Amino acid sequence: MEWIDALSKLKRSGLPGVLVTVLGSAGSAPRKSGSKMLVTEEKSFDTVGGGHLEFLLIERARELMASDQHEPVMEHFPLGPRLGQCCGGSVSVMLEPIAGCHFHIALFGAGHIGKALIHVLTPLNCRITWIDNRAELFPRNTPENVTCILSEQPDEEVADLPENAFILVVTHNHQLDYAIAEQALKRSDTGWLGVIGSETKASRFRKRLEHKGFNPERIEQMRCPVGLNEVGGREPAEIAIAIAAEILAVRNGSRDSLVRKREGIPWQTLKKLINDHHQA
C-alpha cells in the first residue's frame, strides 16, 4: 500500500503529516472502512474515494498541520450534492496528526567535517538543513531527514531557518564562517550557534562583532571553538563526535550551565552521551 511506504519515509524525515482513515460508511460510499490516505504539507498518498470529499479532507488535514494539532479529529460527511458526490451515503473519517520533529539543525559546510557530522547527527531525532555553495561536495544520496541546499550566498540562508534552529558553521572559508555567524547573531530566536575554529579565530570574530555593535551577552551566544575538549582528537570523525556531544549536552541538559562552565561536564556524563549516540 502506498500510504505505508509514505508513512515510513515521513517518520524518518521528521516532517509532519496527517493519516486519514475511513472509520465507517452508510449506504453507497466510494471506499470501504479501513481505507487510508496520508497527507503531507505538499503531497497526498493513496485515496479515500477521490472527488470533492477527498479534496476537503486534504484541506482539513493541512489545516490541522498548520495549527499544530496533536489530537485525532473525527469528521462525518453526507455524500450528497453539496460534496458533488451523488453516492447517496455517508462517510465517517478520522484524521490523525503525525507530529513533525521540532529539533532542527542547520549545518553550513559540506567538506570533510561536514560529511562526518552528517554521519554522526542523522541517527538523532532531528531534521538537518545542509548548506554549501559547492555542488560537487554533496553526496548523491542523503538520509531522509537531510535537506541539501546549494546556495551562492550561504549566509543569506540564515534568514529562512526556522525558530530555535541549532546553527553549526564548519565551512572552508573564515570570512564565510564570520558572515554566517553574524547573520545568526542578528536573530534573537536561534537555539544555539556553534562555529568551528581556534581560540585565535574566536578572538578575531568576537572583536569584529564588538566593532559591529553586538553586545557582549549576544557575542557569548556564539560557541567558538565548538566541540567539547574532553573528547579530544583531530580527525574529522573525532571532531564531529566532539561537536555532537556538545549539541546533545545543550539539547538534553542546561544550556546556561554549559555556557557558564564549558569544562564542567563530568567525563562520565560525556562518555554516556557519546555511547548513547553510538547505540542509537
Side-chain angles (χ1 to χ4, degrees):
M1 296 181 184
E2 186 182 4
W3 69 267
I4 294 178
D5 292 336
L7 180 60
S8 178
K9 290 181 179 180
L10 184 76
K11 288 184 175 180
R12 291 197 301 270
S13 73
L15 294 171
V18 174
L19 185 63
V20 181
T21 305
V22 176
L23 297 178
S25 60
S28 178
R31 293 298 299 272
K32 63 182 181 180
S33 298
S35 297
K36 295 180 183 290
M37 172 178 67
L38 180 66
V39 181
T40 70
E41 292 173 328
E42 298 180 349
K43 298 180 180 180
S44 63
F45 302 87
D46 259 327
T47 179
V48 290
H52 194 49
L53 170 64
E54 189 164 297
F55 174 81
L56 288 178
L57 287 170
I58 291 172
E59 190 175 63
R60 179 72 175 119
R62 288 177 177 152
E63 287 175 358
L64 295 178
M65 281 184 270
S67 63
D68 205 24
Q69 170 79 22
H70 298 294
E71 298 299 321
V73 173
M74 294 182 63
E75 303 274 7
H76 183 75
F77 296 91
L79 300 177
R82 187 175 70 85
L83 288 182
Q85 296 187 226
C86 52
C87 302
S90 62
V91 173
S92 295
V93 299
M94 179 167 64
L95 297 96
E96 300 176 83
I98 300 163
C101 175
H102 295 291
F103 181 21
H104 193 122
I105 299 173
L107 173 60
F108 289 84
H112 295 303
I113 293 174
K115 287 183 173 67
L117 280 161
I118 288 293
H119 180 72
V120 172
L121 295 173
T122 49
L124 303 178
N125 182 24
C126 66
R127 293 171 61 187
I128 301 174
T129 301
W130 195 10
I131 305 163
D132 204 297
N133 54 8
R134 298 164 293 174
E136 69 277 6
L137 293 187
F138 287 121
R140 185 181 300 274
N141 298 308
T142 57
E144 296 285 349
N145 59 340
V146 177
T147 300
C148 296
I149 295 180
L150 178 64
S151 175
E152 290 298 323
Q153 296 291 329
D155 56 303
E156 294 181 359
E157 303 298 326
V158 174
D160 294 327
L161 295 176
E163 293 182 4
N164 299 314
F166 276 42
I167 301 175
L168 180 52
V169 187
V170 295
T171 82
H172 61 297
N173 183 290
H174 283 206
Q175 180 55 38
L176 181 56
D177 284 352
Y178 174 81
I180 295 167
E182 181 178 324
Q183 292 305 314
L185 291 174
K186 285 180 179 178
R187 294 186 54 165
S188 61
D189 59 354
T190 55
W192 175 86
L193 169 64
V195 181
I196 198 167
S198 62
E199 291 292 352
T200 299
K201 176 180 176 178
S203 177
R204 289 174 179 170
F205 277 23
R206 292 187 181 103
K207 288 179 181 178
R208 291 180 66 181
L209 290 165
E210 288 175 7
H211 183 72
K212 286 290 188 74
F214 288 89
N215 63 51
E217 292 78 13
R218 192 70 191 136
I219 295 172
E220 284 303 309
Q221 299 303 305
M222 178 182 67
R223 307 298 302 134
C224 183
V226 67
L228 297 185
N229 288 336
E230 293 93 333
V231 176
R234 294 175 178 271
E235 294 297 320
E238 294 170 325
I239 294 169
I241 290 173
I243 293 172
E246 181 167 338
I247 289 174
L248 287 171
V250 174
R251 176 70 176 175
N252 298 331
S254 168
R255 180 187 185 197
D256 292 338
S257 64
L258 185 59
V259 170
R260 287 196 302 270
K261 195 175 182 182
R262 186 176 184 178
E263 304 300 331
I265 298 177
W267 167 244
Q268 291 302 320
T269 301
L270 175 60
K271 187 176 180 181
K272 183 178 184 301
L273 287 172
I274 298 171
N275 289 338
D276 287 348
H277 161 71
H278 283 297
Q279 294 170 7

